[in-house]
Amino acid sequence: MSLRNWVLALSAASMLAMPAIDAAQAEDSIFVPLFTYRTGPFAGSGTPIANGMHDYLTMLNERDGGIGGVKLVVEECETGYDTKKGLECYESVKPKKPVLVNPWSTGITLPLIPKAAVDKIPVLSMAYGLSASAKGDVFPWVFNPPATYWDGFTQILKYIAEQEGGGIEKLQGKKIGYIYLDASFGREPLPLIESLSKELGFEAKLYPVAAADMQNQSSQWLSVRRDRPDYMILYGWGALNSTAVKEAVKTNFPMDKFISIWWPSEDDAKGGGDGAKGFKTLNWHAVGADFPLLADIQKYVVDTGKSQVADKSKVGQVLYNRGVYNSMLIAEAIRTAQKVTGNKVVTGEDVRRGLESLNIDEARLKEMGLEGFTGPVKLSCADHNGHFSTFVQSWNGTAYEKVSDYITPMSDKVGPLLDADAKAYAEKNAPWPTRSEACDAS
């Protein structure tokens, strides 16, 4: 046989052998893909989250040998925060039988919602995506704990009312600006804003920012200066956040009245210099690395060179810890699925059951090394979100510090709107698949 033919034959034999190797790996491992974006205009937000997610799961492999004795196969797919690329990532990982997917983009999440029930792959859109997907009776394959964008907006409104010295009646007559990414993410709360502004009597001023103009918001902030809103609310991502903070400082907008949903990082605030002190965001978990679990991540992953963290001081920052929180949900869903089903190597269907049975109480948080890091998380068949409380944190010039008690969402306002939106979604996308099992009325 000629050398050329021998090489071709060897290559063909190797290609034939690869599926067998993959199948063998699949039999004793759990595949967890991570949709990430470490490049592009949103990399400033995407990179620390990707690091936190990756490092937590890697730590479980290194320290514990995986979950329940089963190794995790963790694979990143770069989306660039682009919906088309995100869907390409989904199609590329689907044949590998992922136990769930994390789109990390509302734009990617939305087209995956109809696919989830068909492909039997749960979608975990942690605190983003379609708010109405919190309704587990309508969206059995989609989970968005611990709070929806609609919850977050009402929590900010309650905080504003408190600053004005009372309850939500204090919103009457106020002018509240909303500056947001003009994409699925930023537009998601618009129906709620329209409804609540009429009901509660505040004037909403909208300042959309196109993705292409994230670093050029001069026209929006000229309008802010003209309109003179009493408060500004930010729903931004990537470079939009840092630019908004800089423009607010430049415009002399009072930073203690500039409040964001939970996405701005330390770097976003630092960009505004000393003038950014007082800028506020929502959060639901601690900032900092002074937790046993974070110490284990440092020991088993960062210190051993298995992390992509370029600067160790980034471990414990807000978005790194957000990624840790996300992977905590993944890991505990898998662990719960193993317990509920009795299967060690779980499937997407198993993990869906695990998510619906998720109950991370204070004792479990302490056992994991996360005591004081966040509050308990409990989901159910009907409630795939929890609508948990958040708190306000303020930028002090070097770090975020907690400046409020936990704030509950306006459940009486949000609940009926979510019900209506979920129903409208199902009707618009009819025939919409029903649950294979009904949720217990209790």
Side-chain angles (χ1 to χ4, degrees):
M1 182 182 292
S2 69
L3 177 62
R4 178 178 180 274
N5 289 340
W6 182 83
V7 171
L8 288 173
L10 181 61
S11 298
S14 298
M15 291 177 67
L16 289 171
M18 286 178 66
I21 294 171
D22 290 343
Q25 289 175 338
E27 288 176 3
D28 58 6
S29 62
I30 296 171
F31 179 52
V32 182
L34 301 178
F35 291 6
T36 58
Y37 35 96
R38 299 177 179 273
T39 62
F42 299 96
S45 298
T47 298
I49 287 174
N51 287 336
M53 287 195 297
H54 177 274
D55 292 357
Y56 185 105
L57 298 176
T58 301
M59 183 273 293
L60 292 180
N61 273 342
E62 298 297 315
R63 187 192 67 184
D64 304 336
I67 300 175
V70 183
K71 277 273 192 177
L72 305 175
V73 176
V74 181
E75 179 182 297
E76 291 192 30
C77 188
E78 174 68 31
T79 72
Y81 196 76
D82 179 80
T83 298
K84 182 181 178 182
K85 289 182 180 178
L87 293 177
E88 289 172 355
C89 281
Y90 179 80
E91 293 302 325
S92 73
V93 304
K94 187 168 66 172
K96 302 177 185 181
K97 307 295 184 185
V99 294
L100 83 174
V101 292
N102 300 257
W104 273 106
S105 156
T106 295
I108 299 172
T109 300
L110 296 180
L112 290 185
I113 290 175
K115 294 176 177 288
V118 177
D119 297 333
K120 300 190 184 309
I121 302 172
V123 175
L124 175 60
S125 54
M126 187 204 69
Y128 61 90
L130 180 69
S131 290
S133 62
K135 308 299 295 184
D137 52 342
V138 180
F139 301 94
W141 289 87
V142 188
F143 299 81
N144 58 358
T148 71
Y149 282 144
W150 292 16
D151 294 323
F153 197 90
T154 67
Q155 287 162 334
I156 293 174
L157 289 180
K158 288 178 73 172
Y159 179 76
I160 290 173
E162 183 181 289
Q163 301 313 294
E164 292 296 312
I168 57 174
E169 71 279 355
K170 292 293 184 178
L171 298 173
Q172 180 78 34
K174 294 297 178 185
K175 187 183 294 184
I176 298 176
Y178 178 57
I179 187 163
Y180 62 98
L181 179 63
D182 192 14
S184 302
F185 154 46
R187 292 192 291 265
E188 215 274 336
L190 290 179
L192 175 77
I193 296 170
E194 181 181 6
S195 174
L196 290 184
S197 63
K198 294 176 182 177
E199 181 179 352
L200 302 180
F202 65 86
E203 181 183 0
K205 302 295 291 186
L206 306 181
Y207 307 100
V209 180
D213 298 325
M214 290 192 301
Q215 294 177 288
N216 180 20
Q217 300 175 30
S218 55
S219 62
Q220 286 86 354
W221 286 94
L222 282 173
S223 297
V224 170
R225 178 179 290 178
R226 178 198 65 215
D227 298 337
R228 300 176 64 84
D230 298 292
Y231 290 86
M232 285 290 292
I233 296 176
L234 170 66
Y235 272 50
W237 193 230
L240 193 155
N241 288 336
S242 57
T243 303
V245 172
K246 291 175 186 176
E247 289 289 343
V249 172
K250 183 179 176 181
T251 310
N252 292 318
F253 189 84
M255 298 304 289
D256 61 335
K257 295 186 176 182
F258 190 17
I259 310 163
S260 177
I261 197 67
W262 35 71
W263 296 124
S265 67
E266 287 84 353
D267 289 341
D268 292 330
K270 284 178 183 176
D274 288 342
K277 290 180 181 178
F279 171 64
K280 297 180 173 69
T281 82
L282 292 183
N283 202 349
W284 64 83
H285 59 74
V287 176
D290 191 21
F291 298 91
L293 186 137
L294 271 294
D296 281 349
I297 290 176
Q298 188 85 39
K299 175 182 177 181
Y300 289 97
V301 185
V302 179
D303 290 345
T304 58
K306 294 180 174 67
S307 171
Q308 293 190 51
V309 172
D311 180 352
K312 292 182 180 181
S313 67
K314 299 292 185 181
V315 175
Q317 289 193 346
V318 61
L319 292 186
Y320 184 93
N321 283 4
R322 190 68 47 77
V324 166
Y325 183 97
N326 189 91
S327 282
M328 177 194 75
L329 296 179
I330 295 172
E332 292 305 295
I334 292 171
R335 195 182 309 276
T336 304
Q338 291 173 332
K339 181 178 179 180
V340 169
T341 66
N343 300 325
K344 288 295 185 180
V345 180
V346 290
T347 66
E349 292 179 88
D350 295 334
V351 171
R352 186 192 70 79
R353 291 182 61 191
L355 283 162
E356 289 196 333
S357 304
L358 200 63
N359 184 12
I360 307 172
D361 58 15
E362 294 284 5
R364 178 57 187 154
L365 287 168
K366 183 176 182 179
E367 184 181 12
M368 285 190 288
L370 289 174
E371 183 178 17
F373 179 78
T374 191
V377 182
K378 184 177 175 61
L379 303 181
S380 68
C381 174
D383 184 4
H384 284 194
N385 180 269
H387 307 285
F388 297 111
S389 300
T390 65
F391 58 85
V392 175
Q393 60 185 17
S394 179
W395 180 248
N396 64 16
T398 57
Y400 285 111
E401 56 185 4
K402 184 180 176 183
V403 294
S404 81
D405 293 330
Y406 276 89
I407 304 168
T408 59
M410 297 181 189
S411 299
D412 59 327
K413 310 294 184 188
V414 173
L417 292 173
L418 288 180
D419 287 336
D421 201 49
K423 181 181 179 182
Y425 183 100
E427 290 175 349
K428 182 179 178 181
N429 293 277
W432 185 247
T434 57
R435 290 187 62 98
S436 58
E437 73 288 339
C439 289
D440 190 332
S442 62

